[in-house]
Coordinates of all heavy atoms in Angstrom, one line a residue:
M1 N 0.9 -1.2 0.0 CA 0.0 0.0 0.0 C 0.9 1.2 0.0 O 1.9 1.3 0.7 CB -0.9 0.0 1.2 CG -1.8 1.2 1.3 SD -3.1 1.1 2.6 CE -2.2 1.1 4.1
H2 N 0.5 2.2 -0.8 CA 1.2 3.5 -0.9 C 0.2 4.5 -0.4 O -1.0 4.6 -1.0 CB 1.7 3.8 -2.3 CG 2.7 2.8 -2.8 ND1 4.0 2.9 -2.6 CD2 2.5 1.6 -3.4 CE1 4.6 1.9 -3.2 NE2 3.7 1.0 -3.6
L3 N 0.6 5.4 0.5 CA -0.3 6.4 1.0 C 0.0 7.8 0.4 O 1.2 8.2 0.4 CB -0.2 6.5 2.5 CG -1.0 7.5 3.2 CD1 -2.5 7.3 3.0 CD2 -0.7 7.6 4.7
L4 N -1.0 8.4 -0.2 CA -0.9 9.7 -0.8 C -1.9 10.6 -0.1 O -3.1 10.3 -0.2 CB -1.1 9.7 -2.3 CG -1.2 11.0 -3.0 CD1 0.0 11.9 -2.8 CD2 -1.5 10.8 -4.5
S5 N -1.4 11.7 0.6 CA -2.3 12.5 1.3 C -2.1 14.0 1.2 O -0.9 14.4 1.1 CB -2.1 12.2 2.9 OG -2.9 13.0 3.6
N6 N -3.2 14.7 1.0 CA -3.2 16.2 1.1 C -3.3 16.5 2.5 O -4.4 16.7 3.0 CB -4.3 16.8 0.3 CG -4.0 16.9 -1.2 OD1 -2.9 16.6 -1.7 ND2 -5.0 17.3 -1.9
H7 N -2.2 16.7 3.2 CA -2.2 16.9 4.6 C -0.9 17.6 5.1 O 0.0 17.7 4.3 CB -2.5 15.6 5.4 CG -3.5 15.8 6.5 ND1 -3.4 16.6 7.5 CD2 -4.7 15.2 6.6 CE1 -4.4 16.5 8.3 NE2 -5.2 15.7 7.8
C8 N -0.9 17.8 6.3 CA 0.3 18.3 7.0 C 0.9 17.1 7.8 O 0.2 16.5 8.6 CB -0.1 19.4 7.9 SG 1.3 20.1 8.8
K9 N 2.1 16.7 7.5 CA 2.8 15.6 8.2 C 2.6 15.6 9.7 O 2.4 14.6 10.3 CB 4.2 15.4 7.7 CG 4.9 14.2 8.3 CD 6.3 14.1 7.9 CE 6.9 12.9 8.5 NZ 8.4 12.8 8.2
E10 N 2.9 16.8 10.2 CA 2.8 16.9 11.7 C 1.5 16.5 12.3 O 1.4 16.0 13.4 CB 3.2 18.3 12.1 CG 4.6 18.7 11.7 CD 4.8 19.0 10.2 OE1 3.9 19.3 9.5 OE2 6.0 19.0 9.8
W11 N 0.4 16.8 11.5 CA -0.9 16.5 12.0 C -1.2 15.0 12.0 O -2.0 14.5 12.8 CB -2.0 17.3 11.3 CG -1.9 18.7 11.5 CD1 -1.2 19.4 12.4 CD2 -2.5 19.7 10.7 NE1 -1.3 20.8 12.3 CE2 -2.2 21.0 11.2 CE3 -3.4 19.7 9.6 CZ2 -2.7 22.2 10.6 CZ3 -3.9 20.9 9.0 CH2 -3.5 22.1 9.6
I12 N -0.8 14.3 10.9 CA -1.1 12.9 10.8 C -0.1 11.9 11.2 O -0.3 10.7 11.3 CB -1.6 12.6 9.3 CG1 -0.5 12.8 8.3 CG2 -2.8 13.4 8.9 CD1 -0.8 12.2 6.9
E13 N 1.1 12.5 11.5 CA 2.2 11.6 11.9 C 1.9 10.6 13.0 O 2.2 9.4 12.9 CB 3.4 12.4 12.3 CG 4.7 11.6 12.2 CD 5.9 12.6 12.2 OE1 5.9 13.6 12.8 OE2 6.9 12.2 11.5
P14 N 1.1 11.0 14.1 CA 0.7 10.0 15.1 C 0.0 8.8 14.5 O 0.1 7.7 15.0 CB -0.1 10.8 16.0 CG 0.3 12.2 15.8 CD 0.7 12.3 14.4
N15 N -0.8 9.0 13.4 CA -1.6 7.9 12.9 C -0.8 7.1 11.9 O -1.2 6.0 11.6 CB -2.8 8.5 12.1 CG -3.7 9.2 13.1 OD1 -4.0 8.7 14.1 ND2 -4.1 10.4 12.7
L16 N 0.4 7.6 11.4 CA 1.2 6.9 10.5 C 1.9 5.7 11.1 O 2.1 4.7 10.4 CB 2.1 7.8 9.8 CG 1.6 8.9 8.9 CD1 2.6 9.8 8.3 CD2 0.7 8.3 7.8
S17 N 2.3 5.8 12.3 CA 3.0 4.7 12.9 C 2.3 3.4 12.9 O 2.9 2.3 12.7 CB 3.5 5.1 14.3 OG 2.3 5.3 15.1
C18 N 1.0 3.4 13.1 CA 0.2 2.2 13.1 C 0.0 1.6 11.7 O -0.3 0.4 11.5 CB -1.2 2.3 13.8 SG -2.3 3.4 12.9
L19 N 0.3 2.4 10.7 CA 0.2 1.9 9.3 C 1.5 1.6 8.7 O 1.6 0.9 7.6 CB -0.4 3.1 8.4 CG -1.8 3.5 8.7 CD1 -2.1 4.7 7.8 CD2 -2.8 2.4 8.5
S20 N 2.6 1.8 9.4 CA 4.0 1.6 8.8 C 4.2 0.2 8.3 O 4.9 0.0 7.3 CB 5.0 2.0 9.8 OG 5.0 1.2 10.9
S21 N 3.7 -0.8 9.0 CA 3.9 -2.2 8.6 C 3.2 -2.6 7.3 O 3.4 -3.6 6.7 CB 3.6 -3.2 9.7 OG 2.3 -3.1 10.1
F22 N 2.2 -1.7 7.0 CA 1.3 -2.0 5.8 C 1.7 -1.1 4.6 O 1.2 -1.4 3.5 CB -0.1 -1.7 6.1 CG -0.6 -2.5 7.3 CD1 -0.8 -2.0 8.5 CD2 -0.9 -3.9 7.1 CE1 -1.3 -2.7 9.6 CE2 -1.4 -4.7 8.1 CZ -1.6 -4.1 9.4
T23 N 2.5 -0.1 4.8 CA 2.8 0.8 3.7 C 4.2 0.7 3.1 O 5.2 0.4 3.9 CB 2.6 2.3 4.1 OG1 3.4 2.5 5.3 CG2 1.2 2.6 4.5
K24 N 4.3 0.8 1.8 CA 5.6 0.8 1.2 C 6.2 2.2 1.1 O 7.4 2.4 1.0 CB 5.5 0.2 -0.3 CG 5.2 -1.3 -0.2 CD 5.1 -1.8 -1.7 CE 4.8 -3.3 -1.7 NZ 4.8 -3.9 -3.0
S25 N 5.2 3.2 1.0 CA 5.7 4.6 0.9 C 4.5 5.5 1.4 O 3.4 5.1 1.4 CB 6.1 5.0 -0.5 OG 4.9 5.1 -1.3
V26 N 4.9 6.6 1.8 CA 4.0 7.7 2.3 C 4.4 9.0 1.6 O 5.6 9.4 1.7 CB 4.0 7.8 3.8 CG1 3.1 9.0 4.2 CG2 3.6 6.6 4.5
T27 N 3.5 9.6 0.9 CA 3.7 10.8 0.2 C 2.7 11.9 0.8 O 1.5 11.6 0.6 CB 3.6 10.8 -1.3 OG1 4.5 9.8 -1.8 CG2 3.9 12.1 -2.0
I28 N 3.2 12.9 1.5 CA 2.3 13.9 2.1 C 2.5 15.3 1.4 O 3.7 15.7 1.3 CB 2.6 14.0 3.6 CG1 2.4 12.6 4.2 CG2 1.7 15.0 4.2 CD1 2.8 12.5 5.6
S29 N 1.5 15.8 1.0 CA 1.6 17.1 0.2 C 2.5 18.1 0.7 O 3.3 18.7 0.0 CB 0.1 17.6 -0.1 OG -0.5 18.0 1.2
N30 N 2.4 18.4 2.0 CA 3.2 19.5 2.6 C 4.7 19.2 2.6 O 5.6 20.1 2.8 CB 2.7 20.0 3.9 CG 3.2 19.2 5.1 OD1 3.4 18.0 5.0 ND2 3.4 19.9 6.2
Q31 N 5.1 17.9 2.4 CA 6.4 17.5 2.4 C 7.1 17.6 1.0 O 8.3 17.7 0.9 CB 6.6 16.0 2.9 CG 6.1 15.9 4.4 CD 6.9 16.6 5.3 OE1 8.1 16.3 5.5 NE2 6.3 17.7 5.9
V32 N 6.2 17.5 -0.1 CA 6.8 17.5 -1.4 C 6.4 18.8 -2.2 O 6.8 18.9 -3.3 CB 6.3 16.3 -2.2 CG1 6.8 15.0 -1.5 CG2 4.8 16.2 -2.3
G33 N 5.6 19.7 -1.6 CA 5.2 20.9 -2.2 C 4.3 20.7 -3.4 O 4.2 21.6 -4.3
L34 N 3.5 19.7 -3.4 CA 2.5 19.4 -4.4 C 1.3 18.9 -3.7 O 1.4 18.4 -2.6 CB 3.0 18.3 -5.4 CG 4.3 18.6 -6.2 CD1 4.8 17.3 -6.8 CD2 4.0 19.7 -7.3
C35 N 0.1 18.9 -4.4 CA -1.1 18.3 -3.8 C -2.0 17.8 -4.8 O -1.9 18.2 -6.0 CB -1.7 19.3 -2.8 SG -2.5 20.7 -3.6
K36 N -2.8 16.9 -4.4 CA -3.9 16.4 -5.3 C -4.8 17.5 -5.6 O -5.1 18.2 -4.8 CB -4.6 15.2 -4.6 CG -3.8 14.0 -4.3 CD -4.6 12.9 -3.5 CE -5.0 13.3 -2.2 NZ -5.7 12.3 -1.4
P37 N -5.3 17.6 -6.8 CA -5.2 16.7 -8.0 C -4.1 17.0 -8.9 O -4.1 16.6 -10.1 CB -6.6 16.9 -8.6 CG -6.9 18.3 -8.4 CD -6.3 18.6 -7.1
E38 N -3.0 17.8 -8.6 CA -1.9 18.0 -9.5 C -1.3 16.7 -9.9 O -0.9 15.9 -9.1 CB -0.9 18.9 -8.8 CG -1.4 20.3 -8.3 CD -0.4 21.0 -7.5 OE1 0.9 20.8 -7.6 OE2 -0.8 21.9 -6.7
I39 N -1.2 16.5 -11.2 CA -0.6 15.2 -11.7 C 0.8 15.0 -11.2 O 1.2 13.8 -11.1 CB -0.8 15.1 -13.3 CG1 -0.6 13.7 -13.7 CG2 0.2 16.1 -13.9 CD1 -1.2 13.3 -14.9
E40 N 1.5 16.0 -11.0 CA 2.9 15.8 -10.6 C 3.0 15.0 -9.3 O 4.0 14.3 -9.1 CB 3.6 17.2 -10.4 CG 3.8 17.9 -11.7 CD 2.6 18.8 -12.1 OE1 1.6 18.8 -11.4 OE2 2.7 19.4 -13.2
I41 N 2.1 15.1 -8.3 CA 2.2 14.4 -7.1 C 1.9 12.9 -7.4 O 2.6 12.0 -6.8 CB 1.3 15.0 -6.0 CG1 1.8 14.4 -4.6 CG2 -0.1 14.7 -6.2 CD1 1.3 15.1 -3.4
Y42 N 1.1 12.6 -8.3 CA 0.8 11.2 -8.7 C 2.0 10.6 -9.4 O 2.3 9.5 -9.2 CB -0.4 11.2 -9.6 CG -1.7 11.7 -9.0 CD1 -2.0 13.0 -9.0 CD2 -2.7 10.8 -8.4 CE1 -3.2 13.5 -8.4 CE2 -3.8 11.2 -7.9 CZ -4.1 12.6 -7.9 OH -5.2 13.0 -7.3
Q43 N 2.6 11.4 -10.3 CA 3.8 11.0 -11.0 C 5.0 10.7 -10.0 O 5.7 9.7 -10.2 CB 4.3 12.0 -12.0 CG 3.3 12.1 -13.2 CD 3.5 13.3 -14.1 OE1 4.0 14.4 -13.6 NE2 3.2 13.2 -15.3
R44 N 5.1 11.5 -9.0 CA 6.1 11.2 -7.9 C 5.8 9.8 -7.3 O 6.7 9.1 -7.1 CB 6.0 12.3 -6.9 CG 7.0 12.1 -5.8 CD 6.9 13.2 -4.8 NE 7.6 14.4 -5.3 CZ 8.7 14.9 -4.9 NH1 9.4 14.2 -3.9 NH2 9.2 16.0 -5.4
V45 N 4.6 9.6 -6.9 CA 4.2 8.3 -6.4 C 4.5 7.1 -7.3 O 5.0 6.1 -7.0 CB 2.7 8.2 -5.9 CG1 2.3 6.9 -5.4 CG2 2.5 9.2 -4.7
K46 N 4.2 7.4 -8.6 CA 4.4 6.3 -9.6 C 5.9 5.9 -9.6 O 6.2 4.7 -9.9 CB 4.0 6.9 -11.0 CG 4.0 5.8 -12.1 CD 3.5 6.3 -13.4 CE 3.6 5.2 -14.4 NZ 3.0 5.6 -15.7
T47 N 6.8 6.8 -9.4 CA 8.2 6.4 -9.4 C 8.5 5.4 -8.2 O 9.6 4.8 -8.2 CB 9.2 7.7 -9.3 OG1 9.0 8.2 -8.0 CG2 8.9 8.7 -10.4
L48 N 7.7 5.4 -7.2 CA 7.9 4.5 -6.1 C 7.3 3.1 -6.3 O 7.5 2.2 -5.5 CB 7.3 5.1 -4.8 CG 7.8 6.5 -4.5 CD1 6.9 7.1 -3.4 CD2 9.2 6.4 -4.1
L49 N 6.5 2.9 -7.4 CA 5.9 1.7 -7.7 C 6.8 0.8 -8.6 O 7.6 1.3 -9.4 CB 4.6 1.9 -8.4 CG 3.6 2.9 -7.8 CD1 2.4 3.2 -8.8 CD2 3.1 2.4 -6.5
A50 N 6.6 -0.5 -8.4 CA 7.3 -1.5 -9.2 C 6.7 -1.4 -10.7 O 5.5 -1.1 -10.9 CB 7.1 -2.9 -8.7
A51 N 7.6 -1.5 -11.6 CA 7.2 -1.5 -13.0 C 6.1 -2.4 -13.3 O 6.1 -3.6 -12.9 CB 8.4 -1.7 -14.0
G52 N 5.0 -1.9 -13.9 CA 3.9 -2.8 -14.3 C 3.0 -3.2 -13.1 O 2.0 -3.9 -13.3
E53 N 3.2 -2.6 -12.0 CA 2.4 -2.9 -10.8 C 0.9 -2.3 -11.0 O 0.8 -1.2 -11.5 CB 3.0 -2.2 -9.6 CG 2.3 -2.6 -8.3 CD 3.1 -2.1 -7.1 OE1 3.9 -1.1 -7.2 OE2 3.0 -2.7 -6.0
E54 N 0.0 -3.1 -10.8 CA -1.4 -2.7 -10.9 C -1.8 -1.8 -9.7 O -1.4 -2.1 -8.6 CB -2.4 -3.9 -10.8 CG -3.8 -3.6 -11.1 CD -4.7 -4.8 -11.2 OE1 -4.2 -5.9 -11.6 OE2 -5.9 -4.6 -11.0
V55 N -2.4 -0.7 -10.0 CA -2.7 0.3 -9.0 C -4.2 0.5 -8.9 O -4.9 0.7 -9.9 CB -2.1 1.7 -9.3 CG1 -2.4 2.8 -8.3 CG2 -0.6 1.5 -9.4
L56 N -4.7 0.5 -7.7 CA -6.1 0.9 -7.4 C -6.0 2.2 -6.5 O -5.5 2.0 -5.3 CB -6.9 -0.2 -6.7 CG -8.3 0.2 -6.1 CD1 -9.1 0.7 -7.3 CD2 -8.9 -0.9 -5.3
F57 N -6.3 3.3 -7.0 CA -6.3 4.6 -6.3 C -7.7 4.9 -5.7 O -8.7 4.9 -6.4 CB -5.9 5.7 -7.3 CG -5.8 7.0 -6.6 CD1 -4.7 7.3 -5.7 CD2 -6.8 8.0 -6.8 CE1 -4.7 8.5 -5.1 CE2 -6.7 9.2 -6.1 CZ -5.6 9.5 -5.3
I58 N -7.7 5.0 -4.4 CA -9.0 5.3 -3.7 C -8.9 6.7 -3.1 O -7.9 7.1 -2.4 CB -9.2 4.3 -2.6 CG1 -9.2 2.9 -3.2 CG2 -10.5 4.6 -1.9 CD1 -9.1 1.8 -2.1
D59 N -9.9 7.5 -3.3 CA -10.0 8.8 -2.8 C -11.5 9.2 -2.5 O -12.4 8.6 -3.1 CB -9.4 9.9 -3.7 CG -9.0 11.1 -3.0 OD1 -9.8 12.0 -2.7 OD2 -7.7 11.3 -2.8
D60 N -11.6 10.1 -1.5 CA -13.0 10.5 -1.1 C -13.5 11.7 -1.9 O -14.6 12.2 -1.6 CB -13.1 10.7 0.3 CG -12.3 11.9 0.8 OD1 -11.4 12.3 0.1 OD2 -12.4 12.3 2.0
Q61 N -12.7 12.1 -2.9 CA -13.1 13.3 -3.7 C -12.9 12.9 -5.2 O -11.8 12.6 -5.6 CB -12.3 14.5 -3.4 CG -12.5 15.0 -2.0 CD -11.8 16.3 -1.7 OE1 -11.7 17.2 -2.6 NE2 -11.2 16.5 -0.5
E62 N -14.0 13.0 -5.9 CA -14.0 12.7 -7.3 C -13.0 13.5 -8.1 O -12.3 12.9 -9.0 CB -15.4 13.0 -7.9 CG -15.6 12.6 -9.4 CD -15.9 11.1 -9.5 OE1 -16.6 10.6 -8.7 OE2 -15.3 10.6 -10.5
K63 N -12.7 14.7 -7.7 CA -11.7 15.5 -8.5 C -10.3 15.0 -8.4 O -9.5 15.2 -9.3 CB -11.8 17.0 -8.0 CG -11.2 17.2 -6.6 CD -11.3 18.6 -6.1 CE -10.6 18.7 -4.7 NZ -10.5 20.1 -4.3
N64 N -10.0 14.2 -7.4 CA -8.7 13.6 -7.2 C -8.5 12.3 -8.0 O -7.4 11.9 -8.1 CB -8.4 13.4 -5.7 CG -8.3 14.7 -5.0 OD1 -8.0 15.7 -5.5 ND2 -8.6 14.6 -3.7
L65 N -9.6 11.8 -8.6 CA -9.4 10.5 -9.4 C -9.0 10.8 -10.8 O -8.3 9.9 -11.4 CB -10.8 9.8 -9.4 CG -11.4 9.5 -8.0 CD1 -12.7 8.8 -8.2 CD2 -10.4 8.6 -7.2
H66 N -9.2 11.9 -11.3 CA -8.9 12.2 -12.7 C -7.4 12.0 -13.1 O -7.1 11.3 -14.0 CB -9.4 13.6 -13.1 CG -9.1 14.0 -14.5 ND1 -9.7 13.4 -15.6 CD2 -8.2 14.8 -15.1 CE1 -9.3 13.8 -16.7 NE2 -8.3 14.7 -16.4
S67 N -6.5 12.6 -12.3 CA -5.1 12.5 -12.6 C -4.6 11.0 -12.5 O -3.8 10.6 -13.2 CB -4.3 13.3 -11.6 OG -4.5 14.7 -11.9
A68 N -5.2 10.3 -11.5 CA -4.9 8.9 -11.4 C -5.3 8.1 -12.6 O -4.5 7.3 -13.1 CB -5.5 8.3 -10.2
K69 N -6.4 8.4 -13.2 CA -6.9 7.8 -14.4 C -6.0 8.1 -15.6 O -5.8 7.2 -16.4 CB -8.3 8.2 -14.7 CG -9.4 7.7 -13.8 CD -10.8 8.2 -14.1 CE -11.8 7.7 -13.1 NZ -13.1 8.3 -13.4
L70 N -5.5 9.3 -15.6 CA -4.6 9.7 -16.7 C -3.3 8.8 -16.7 O -2.7 8.6 -17.8 CB -4.2 11.2 -16.6 CG -5.3 12.2 -16.9 CD1 -4.8 13.6 -16.7 CD2 -5.8 12.0 -18.4
L71 N -2.9 8.4 -15.6 CA -1.7 7.5 -15.4 C -2.1 6.0 -15.6 O -1.2 5.2 -15.5 CB -1.1 7.7 -14.1 CG -0.5 9.1 -13.8 CD1 0.1 9.2 -12.4 CD2 0.6 9.3 -14.8
G72 N -3.4 5.8 -15.9 CA -3.7 4.4 -16.2 C -4.1 3.6 -14.9 O -4.3 2.4 -15.0
W73 N -4.2 4.2 -13.8 CA -4.6 3.6 -12.6 C -6.1 3.4 -12.5 O -6.9 4.2 -13.0 CB -4.2 4.4 -11.4 CG -2.8 4.7 -11.2 CD1 -1.7 4.2 -12.0 CD2 -2.1 5.6 -10.3 NE1 -0.5 4.7 -11.6 CE2 -0.7 5.5 -10.5 CE3 -2.6 6.4 -9.3 CZ2 0.2 6.3 -9.8 CZ3 -1.7 7.1 -8.5 CH2 -0.3 7.0 -8.8
K74 N -6.5 2.3 -11.9 CA -7.9 2.0 -11.6 C -8.3 3.0 -10.5 O -7.4 3.2 -9.6 CB -8.2 0.6 -11.2 CG -7.9 -0.4 -12.4 CD -8.2 -1.8 -11.9 CE -7.9 -2.7 -13.1 NZ -8.1 -4.2 -12.7
T75 N -9.5 3.5 -10.5 CA -9.9 4.4 -9.4 C -11.2 3.9 -8.7 O -12.0 3.2 -9.4 CB -10.0 5.8 -9.9 OG1 -11.1 5.8 -10.9 CG2 -8.7 6.3 -10.5
L76 N -11.3 4.3 -7.5 CA -12.5 4.0 -6.8 C -12.8 5.2 -5.8 O -11.9 5.7 -5.1 CB -12.3 2.8 -5.9 CG -13.4 2.3 -5.1 CD1 -14.7 1.9 -5.9 CD2 -13.0 1.0 -4.3
L77 N -14.1 5.7 -5.9 CA -14.5 6.8 -5.0 C -14.9 6.2 -3.7 O -15.7 5.3 -3.6 CB -15.7 7.5 -5.7 CG -16.2 8.7 -4.8 CD1 -15.1 9.8 -4.7 CD2 -17.5 9.3 -5.5
A78 N -14.3 6.7 -2.6 CA -14.6 6.3 -1.3 C -15.9 7.0 -0.8 O -15.8 8.2 -0.4 CB -13.5 6.5 -0.3
D79 N -17.0 6.4 -1.0 CA -18.3 7.0 -0.7 C -18.5 7.0 0.8 O -18.0 6.3 1.6 CB -19.5 6.2 -1.4 CG -19.5 4.8 -0.9 OD1 -18.5 4.0 -1.0 OD2 -20.6 4.3 -0.5
E80 N -19.4 8.0 1.2 CA -19.7 8.2 2.6 C -20.3 7.0 3.3 O -20.2 6.7 4.5 CB -20.5 9.4 2.8 CG -19.8 10.7 2.5 CD -20.6 12.0 2.8 OE1 -21.6 11.9 3.5 OE2 -20.3 13.0 2.2
E81 N -21.1 6.2 2.5 CA -21.8 5.1 3.0 C -20.8 3.9 3.3 O -21.2 3.0 4.1 CB -22.9 4.6 2.0 CG -24.0 5.6 1.8 CD -23.6 6.7 0.9 OE1 -22.7 6.5 0.0 OE2 -24.2 7.8 1.0
G82 N -19.6 4.0 2.8 CA -18.6 2.9 3.0 C -18.8 1.7 2.1 O -18.1 0.7 2.3
D83 N -19.6 1.8 1.0 CA -19.7 0.7 0.1 C -18.4 0.4 -0.6 O -18.2 -0.8 -1.0 CB -20.8 1.0 -1.0 CG -22.2 1.2 -0.4 OD1 -22.5 0.5 0.6 OD2 -23.0 1.9 -1.0
W84 N -17.5 1.3 -0.7 CA -16.2 1.1 -1.4 C -15.4 0.0 -0.6 O -14.6 -0.7 -1.2 CB -15.4 2.4 -1.5 CG -15.0 3.0 -0.1 CD1 -15.7 3.7 0.7 CD2 -13.7 2.8 0.5 NE1 -15.0 4.0 1.8 CE2 -13.7 3.4 1.7 CE3 -12.6 2.0 0.1 CZ2 -12.7 3.4 2.6 CZ3 -11.5 2.0 1.0 CH2 -11.6 2.7 2.2
V85 N -15.6 -0.1 0.7 CA -14.8 -1.1 1.4 C -15.1 -2.5 1.0 O -14.3 -3.3 0.8 CB -15.2 -0.9 3.0 CG1 -14.5 -2.0 3.8 CG2 -14.7 0.4 3.4
N86 N -16.4 -2.7 0.7 CA -16.8 -4.1 0.2 C -16.1 -4.4 -1.1 O -15.8 -5.5 -1.4 CB -18.4 -4.2 0.1 CG -19.0 -4.1 1.4 OD1 -18.5 -4.5 2.4 ND2 -20.2 -3.5 1.4
E87 N -16.0 -3.3 -2.0 CA -15.4 -3.5 -3.3 C -14.0 -3.9 -3.1 O -13.4 -4.8 -3.8 CB -15.6 -2.3 -4.2 CG -15.2 -2.6 -5.6 CD -15.7 -1.5 -6.5 OE1 -16.6 -0.8 -6.3 OE2 -15.1 -1.4 -7.6
V88 N -13.3 -3.2 -2.3 CA -11.9 -3.5 -2.0 C -11.7 -4.9 -1.4 O -10.8 -5.6 -1.8 CB -11.2 -2.4 -1.1 CG1 -9.9 -2.8 -0.7 CG2 -11.2 -1.1 -1.8
E89 N -12.5 -5.2 -0.5 CA -12.4 -6.5 0.1 C -12.6 -7.6 -0.9 O -11.9 -8.7 -0.9 CB -13.4 -6.7 1.3 CG -13.1 -5.9 2.5 CD -14.1 -6.1 3.6 OE1 -15.2 -6.5 3.4 OE2 -13.7 -5.7 4.7
S90 N -13.5 -7.4 -1.8 CA -13.7 -8.5 -2.9 C -12.5 -8.6 -3.8 O -12.2 -9.7 -4.3 CB -15.0 -8.2 -3.7 OG -14.7 -7.0 -4.6
L91 N -11.7 -7.6 -3.9 CA -10.5 -7.6 -4.8 C -9.4 -8.3 -4.0 O -8.5 -8.9 -4.7 CB -10.1 -6.2 -5.1 CG -11.0 -5.4 -6.0 CD1 -10.6 -4.0 -6.2 CD2 -11.1 -6.1 -7.4
L92 N -9.4 -8.3 -2.7 CA -8.3 -8.9 -1.9 C -8.5 -10.4 -1.7 O -7.6 -11.1 -1.3 CB -8.2 -8.2 -0.6 CG -7.9 -6.7 -0.6 CD1 -7.9 -6.1 0.8 CD2 -6.5 -6.5 -1.3
I93 N -9.7 -10.8 -1.9 CA -10.0 -12.3 -1.7 C -9.5 -13.1 -2.8 O -9.5 -12.9 -3.9 CB -11.5 -12.5 -1.4 CG1 -11.8 -11.8 -0.2 CG2 -11.8 -14.0 -1.3 CD1 -13.3 -11.8 0.2

């Protein structure tokens, strides 16, 4: 799992430690001077991926999915009802 966040590292850092064993990389907007939906931040994350690796990009804002689609990534809107979780679970089985 690669985490891409429009956030301030100092605010979310306490939550990152519990995810560290699950994440290969963490890209936080205020650390790289870019933010979603700027395609450059997605391109930065892409350099961290293995060549040919299949990507499912999940975000809670539709506007952030467009750049991911331009890179050929599959996308999924994280809806408020939480239906997206079932879809992800079905992909992991």
Side-chain angles (χ1 to χ4, degrees):
M1 178 170 66
H2 299 268
L3 177 64
L4 171 57
S5 177
N6 276 357
H7 223 299
C8 179
K9 182 180 180 186
E10 295 75 18
W11 295 346
I12 65 170
E13 199 162 35
N15 298 314
L16 295 178
S17 61
C18 66
L19 297 174
S20 64
S21 63
F22 303 104
T23 55
K24 291 184 180 180
S25 72
V26 176
T27 303
I28 303 172
S29 60
N30 84 324
Q31 299 295 296
V32 297
L34 300 163
C35 64
K36 299 179 289 183
E38 297 172 26
I39 194 155
E40 293 85 3
I41 197 165
Y42 299 83
Q43 291 168 329
R44 180 181 283 253
V45 171
K46 187 176 181 178
T47 67
L48 303 171
L49 306 174
E53 187 170 28
E54 187 175 336
V55 176
L56 173 60
F57 179 76
I58 304 167
D59 201 282
D60 63 348
Q61 295 186 40
E62 185 79 38
K63 68 179 183 177
N64 292 335
L65 301 179
H66 179 70
S67 293
K69 288 177 185 177
L70 290 175
L71 294 176
W73 297 354
K74 294 180 182 179
T75 61
L76 180 60
L77 182 64
D79 59 305
E80 291 183 20
E81 296 78 25
D83 295 333
W84 67 276
V85 174
N86 295 329
E87 190 166 340
V88 171
E89 286 178 345
S90 72
L91 295 170
L92 296 174
I93 295 175

